[in-house]
Amino acid sequence: MKYFITDIHGDLKGMRLLLKHVGVDLTKDQLVIGGDMINRGKDSAGVVKEVKALMEKHPDNVQAIIGNHEEMMSWYFERGDRLWLSHGGNETVQSFQKAFPDEKRRQEHISWACSLPLFFEDDEFVYTHAGFNPYEPLDGQNREILWMEEMDFYSISKDLLLSATKGKPIVHGHTPVERIYFDGVRINCDLGSNTYSIVEERGLALVNLTEMIYWVYKSAQKKIEKRKVGKI
């Protein structure tokens, strides 16, 4: 089975509950983490620590890519850009300090999260955080795709995108949605973990791309719902 989870935003409990509830077996199943592991939630450091450990334990089956929140974190630590602090960075710094009293281990995990690749590709899908530029080769994508607005990404023709990816749909997150849909080319799997909408409290989703079903964990209600990926 192929699974995808993205925009965890510090929800270590939700991530663990979903993986356990679904019964993901990382000795044979594939799991891709789509970036934005940090900020907003209570345990950003815990998520980074766990994902890094999973990748090291299952290097053939677990892959993580960078999100724009990790990108902001790298700007802060590399050049003092304070944009990150206004997007949950202060709480994330505290989380890392608490989880890693040893500065060397703390910096090791921060550097690891900031150096993750822009994309991952397997035999069926291309995985990115926010979008994809069809006018550039896959291995030549600009880091601006970490910030790509959903309106811009979904305005690109399906044929153009599939031509650029050699027929592979693009799995992504970044922009919170209420439900997960697949338009034949793109599937946005971000249900807005640790954010709120007018309609309902959002959640964290674990998507089974093999069977096109997903589970969403709603922390406020402490429950997990199973849903089918819609088609549009």
Side-chain angles (χ1 to χ4, degrees):
M1 296 291 182
K2 293 183 178 180
Y3 294 95
F4 183 74
I5 188 169
T6 189
D7 296 83
I8 300 167
H9 286 298
D11 190 358
L12 177 61
K13 179 181 179 181
M15 181 181 75
R16 285 175 170 172
L17 285 173
L18 283 169
L19 293 174
K20 182 179 180 180
H21 178 84
V22 175
V24 178
D25 182 355
L26 295 178
T27 64
K28 59 182 180 181
D29 295 326
Q30 175 180 287
L31 175 66
V32 179
I33 297 93
D36 279 9
M37 295 177 285
I38 61 172
N39 296 352
R40 297 182 185 153
K42 297 179 179 179
D43 204 350
S44 292
V47 174
V48 170
K49 181 180 180 180
E50 185 122 333
V51 172
K52 183 175 184 292
L54 289 175
M55 282 185 61
E56 292 171 349
K57 185 176 181 180
H58 307 283
D60 295 329
N61 294 333
V62 181
Q63 179 63 52
I65 58 177
I66 193 170
N68 64 298
H69 281 258
E70 286 85 23
E71 182 89 329
M72 284 190 288
M73 181 166 68
S74 73
W75 295 346
Y76 174 75
F77 284 105
E78 291 173 8
R79 60 183 191 231
D81 189 321
R82 299 179 66 82
L83 173 66
W84 180 57
L85 298 181
S86 63
H87 290 273
N90 282 313
E91 294 79 5
T92 299
V93 168
Q94 294 172 15
S95 176
F96 272 95
Q97 290 174 339
K98 181 179 179 180
F100 304 105
D102 180 77
E103 185 177 354
K104 183 177 180 180
R105 287 199 68 218
R106 180 166 67 244
Q107 191 56 50
E108 174 190 339
H109 282 78
I110 291 172
S111 297
W112 173 83
C114 293
S115 62
L116 289 169
L118 278 176
F119 70 92
F120 175 68
E121 179 184 23
D122 61 23
D123 59 336
E124 292 183 89
F125 302 99
V126 171
Y127 306 83
T128 74
H129 176 64
F132 180 82
N133 182 355
Y135 301 103
E136 300 289 345
L138 187 59
D139 59 1
Q141 291 288 302
N142 189 289
R143 301 192 76 81
E144 291 179 1
I145 64 169
L146 292 174
W147 302 83
M148 199 167 190
E149 296 288 343
E150 187 176 52
M151 183 178 298
D152 294 332
F153 184 36
Y154 279 71
S155 69
I156 301 172
S157 77
K158 296 181 180 180
D159 289 341
L160 182 58
L161 285 171
L162 289 175
S163 176
T165 63
K166 298 181 180 179
K168 297 179 180 180
I170 300 164
V171 185
H172 70 100
H174 183 60
T175 302
V177 292
E178 298 290 345
R179 298 274 176 167
I180 296 177
Y181 293 94
F182 180 44
D183 70 354
V185 180
R186 293 152 294 214
I187 176 170
N188 182 353
C189 302
D190 178 10
L191 289 184
S193 176
N194 284 316
T195 64
Y196 293 83
S197 71
I198 296 175
V199 179
E200 62 179 337
E201 186 255 346
R202 295 183 183 273
L204 177 64
L206 176 64
V207 184
N208 181 330
L209 295 166
T210 305
E211 299 180 340
M212 284 297 170
I213 55 177
Y214 66 99
W215 295 261
V216 52
Y217 170 68
K218 296 187 175 183
S219 58
Q221 301 172 23
K222 294 181 172 59
K223 68 176 184 177
I224 295 176
E225 296 177 1
K226 183 179 179 181
R227 303 172 181 171
K228 289 185 178 180
V229 173
K231 293 183 179 180
I232 53 176

